[in-house]
Amino acid sequence: MGKLRAAQYACSLLGHALQKHGASPELQKQIRQLEGHLSLGRKLLRLGNSADALESAKRAVHLSDVVLRFCITVSHLNRALYFACDNVLWAGKSGLAPRVDQEKWAQRSFRYYLFSLIMNLSRDAYEIRLLMEQESSACSRRLKGSGGGVPGGIETAGPGSPGTPGGLPQLALKLQLQVLLLARVLRGHPPLLLDVVRNACDLFIPLDKLGLWRCGPGIVGLCGLVSSILSILTLICPWLRLKP
């Protein structure tokens, strides 16, 4: 499935490049047809995915963390609805249900896909915040154990508004430390980093298809290809898959 998705978005990216460089219309048509066939093949292989997504949602309901439980459950429910709409689209495109309004069902499917990605990114943000808090507490304990203090007195300083002397430099230092802490957390947790990048790349696809942010076929193809490669990577190396 991941290989088909990668091939589909590679065709989308190639088609955009060919159009931009003035390739022959016949070649562009062939690439679009290949992309369409790959898309239809993926829809066929996803016929049972709605049931799988519902089962995943049922398992997520039992998570102890209320935020993770909400984000993961809602994400899986939206994925189930997305796959259901995708099944209707497949029936329409394959000729089994020729009266299906494909534009309407496509818009519905991309809305559910977008909601699912928003929930995934919310879950990623929550996990990043937890890990940053843990890392910050660990650093504070190490500093206290070695007899040091918090660098620059950031944690112990007063409100420090921009109007007070040293307010802006202190704010800039806080921001710099937060960025360094974020980079350290993501570097130490590759599954979380991959999940963030993959979801962020996927986000451009429904945003473009729904007309909320027109990225163009080139950006959509590139983001879809990167996301697909990362998905294949998590299949090859299961330890890179974010859990639960």
Side-chain angles (χ1 to χ4, degrees), residues 171-219:
L171 186 61
L173 182 57
K174 281 186 178 181
L175 182 60
Q176 182 181 6
L177 289 174
Q178 288 297 310
V179 171
L180 290 173
L181 186 59
L182 173 62
R184 183 171 181 172
V185 164
L186 291 177
R187 187 172 63 248
H189 298 82
L192 182 56
L193 174 60
L194 259 66
D195 200 65
V196 170
V197 175
R198 187 176 62 180
N199 287 321
C201 287
D202 280 339
L203 192 64
F204 288 96
I205 299 170
L207 287 177
D208 180 80
K209 300 298 184 182
L210 292 170
L212 299 175
W213 186 16
R214 292 295 184 185
C215 312
I219 297 297

Side-chain angles (χ1 to χ4, degrees), residues 211-228:
L212 299 175
W213 186 16
R214 292 295 184 185
C215 312
I219 297 297
V220 169
L222 177 61
C223 289
L225 180 59
V226 171
S227 170
S228 302

Side-chain angles (χ1 to χ4, degrees), residues 23-161:
S24 66
E26 183 62 27
L27 179 58
Q28 294 183 43
K29 181 181 177 182
Q30 290 176 355
I31 295 296
R32 284 195 300 269
Q33 287 176 343
L34 177 58
E35 181 185 354
H37 292 323
L38 290 170
S39 176
L40 191 61
R42 286 182 59 220
K43 285 178 169 54
L44 174 62
L45 294 176
R46 289 201 299 245
L47 286 178
N49 284 14
S50 287
D52 292 339
L54 287 174
E55 284 298 320
S56 298
K58 286 169 63 178
R59 288 194 297 270
V61 167
H62 301 290
L63 292 174
S64 57
D65 190 299
V66 63
V67 177
L68 288 179
R69 182 166 68 238
F70 174 78
C71 291
I72 296 175
T73 302
V74 174
S75 173
H76 284 310
L77 289 175
N78 277 283
R79 280 179 63 81
L81 292 169
Y82 161 67
F83 287 132
C85 293
D86 207 50
N87 294 343
V88 175
L89 279 171
W90 174 81
K93 290 185 176 181
S94 63
L96 293 176
R99 295 185 180 181
V100 167
D101 187 338
Q102 295 189 25
E103 181 62 27
K104 181 179 72 174
W105 283 97
Q107 291 292 302
R108 285 178 179 172
S109 70
F110 282 119
R111 277 198 293 270
Y112 291 128
Y113 186 31
L114 178 61
F115 293 152
S116 175
L117 291 172
I118 290 172
M119 287 295 102
N120 289 344
L121 287 168
S122 300
R123 176 256 182 100
D124 291 339
Y126 174 71
E127 297 221 31
I128 287 171
R129 185 180 70 84
L130 290 181
L131 290 169
M132 287 179 68
E133 289 177 354
Q134 292 172 10
E135 185 68 25
S136 180
S137 298
C139 287
S140 297
R141 286 195 297 271
R142 285 196 295 268
L143 285 169
K144 289 178 182 178
S146 62
V150 179
I154 289 176
E155 298 298 333
T156 58
S161 64

